Amino acid sequence: MSVGILLVSHSGKVAEGVKDLIHQVVGDLPIEAAGGTDEGELGTSFEKIQTALEKVTEKAESTIVFYDLGSARMNAEMAIEVTESDQIKLVSHPILEGAYLAAVEASIDKSLEEILESLEKEFGKS
């Protein structure tokens, strides 16, 4: 069962940087970054998040969504609601460390539930 990752940040550079780091470590994993506004400013964009989520869910059977700050969470929640999938989990774990741990575990074919358990063990309840 493949698990993908979506990174939602107020900064396009942060989201892309975390994505690059993960790709350097685990290689080809379904991962997308949705950072910044549509104009390239700091902030979040529902449309960017929704598009990135669709790309991940096309490649992965389930998806873990990491975010950095409040409105990123709000827009991610709305995008998840639109998909009506129970295989997309929004977590409040650190975007860098959490996504890194999830990616390593996904790369060795751990299930969504196993990865969520590892994240909770490492960072506490989400």
Side-chain angles (χ1 to χ4, degrees):
M1 174 179 266
S2 67
V3 177
I5 295 173
L6 173 59
L7 305 165
V8 180
S9 174
H10 281 70
S11 167
K13 290 179 181 179
V14 168
E16 288 297 329
V18 174
K19 180 181 173 182
D20 290 345
L21 177 73
I22 291 171
H23 274 299
Q24 289 287 322
V25 175
V26 298
D28 192 29
L29 181 76
I31 181 168
E32 290 293 330
T37 66
D38 294 328
E39 296 78 31
E41 301 292 326
L42 292 178
T44 59
S45 160
F46 170 77
E47 291 78 17
K48 267 185 148 176
I49 296 167
Q50 186 177 28
T51 299
L53 185 58
E54 288 170 0
K55 287 180 181 178
V56 175
T57 58
E58 286 173 3
K59 302 174 201 166
E61 295 172 20
S62 56
T63 303
I64 302 174
V65 180
F66 293 87
Y67 65 92
D68 61 1
L69 301 169
S71 66
R73 177 186 180 137
M74 181 184 67
N75 281 327
E77 286 173 337
M78 289 189 305
I80 292 167
E81 283 180 30
V82 170
T83 68
E84 298 181 351
S85 170
D86 62 351
Q87 292 300 305
I88 303 169
K89 303 298 179 189
L90 179 69
V91 297
S92 60
H93 303 301
I95 191 168
L96 172 58
E97 297 90 340
Y100 180 87
L101 174 61
V104 169
E105 296 217 342
S107 74
I108 56 172
D109 296 324
K110 295 255 181 131
S111 70
L112 175 63
E113 293 75 22
E114 290 171 317
I115 296 170
L116 293 173
E117 285 175 21
S118 293
L119 288 166
E120 187 173 315
K121 182 177 177 184
E122 184 68 26
F123 303 108
K125 257 200 179 315
S126 178

